[in-house]
Amino acid sequence: MATTLPVPIEFSLPDGWLSAPPDEVGASQAAFVALHPGSSAGFTANVTISGEVRTDVTLAQVAAEAAARLERGVGGPVEIGRRNELESAYTQVVRMTVPIDGRPVELVQLQVFLAMPDVRDKSRRAVLEIVLSATPEQFEDLVGDFQAFLKTIRPDEGVTR
């Protein structure tokens, strides 16, 4: 069953991206999934959003946990590339090889960890994990879309809990 986010957010998808039910695309750990159908060619590039309340760790620690979880999930090593730490965000690029339909496929993820205070309870801090997953070729074509998407993410102050 798909998860929910600990804080309400709103965002806009770039053209060419379609939302998909997380459970139906095998991403039950995510609260939101978007697919780029035009990129399929053996792997459909995707964006996932998940999150949880985390007040006890730094964003760098959350990113390290995500990389370790990913390594366990793919059953092999992941290579951490470029990292960048900002005041309320942390990014890292991760490369890995995963078996898809019995063949190894190289994938790249741009993982963004975004600290976001709950607009109704400032003592709560959610950490959103927003991830672009793509083949290296798709990544080059779609990273601009992903960056544009990230700029649209903001707290949804019109939602009541």
Side-chain angles (χ1 to χ4, degrees), residues 58-108:
T58 67
L59 292 178
Q61 290 170 314
V62 174
E65 290 172 3
R69 187 173 57 247
L70 186 60
E71 195 165 69
R72 286 189 305 274
V74 300
V78 300
E79 177 187 325
I80 306 296
R82 181 177 43 99
R83 293 179 170 146
N84 188 24
E85 188 164 10
L86 304 168
E87 184 177 325
S88 61
Y90 188 92
T91 65
Q92 65 185 11
V93 176
V94 180
R95 291 183 172 270
M96 72 208 95
T97 301
V98 299
I100 297 177
D101 295 331
R103 63 182 179 84
V105 176
E106 185 181 350
L107 295 181
V108 179

Side-chain angles (χ1 to χ4, degrees), residues 1 4 19 21 29 51 82 90-91 98 105 113 119 139 150 157:
M1 185 170 135
T4 59
S19 63
Q29 79 289 353
R82 181 177 43 99
Y90 188 92
T91 65
V98 299
V105 176
F113 302 90
V119 295
F139 186 85
L150 291 171
E157 298 180 16

Side-chain angles (χ1 to χ4, degrees), residues 11-22:
F11 52 82
S12 300
L13 283 175
D15 290 340
W17 289 86
L18 302 172
S19 63

Side-chain angles (χ1 to χ4, degrees), residues 17 35-47 95 100 103 105-110 132-146:
W17 289 86
L35 304 175
H36 191 266
S39 69
S40 57
F43 180 80
T44 303
N46 61 80
V47 170
R95 291 183 172 270
I100 297 177
R103 63 182 179 84
V105 176
E106 185 181 350
L107 295 181
V108 179
Q109 286 189 344
L110 176 50
L132 168 64
S133 299
T135 66
E137 299 80 21
Q138 295 166 342
F139 186 85
E140 293 300 321
D141 292 338
L142 299 174
V143 70
D145 280 2
F146 184 64

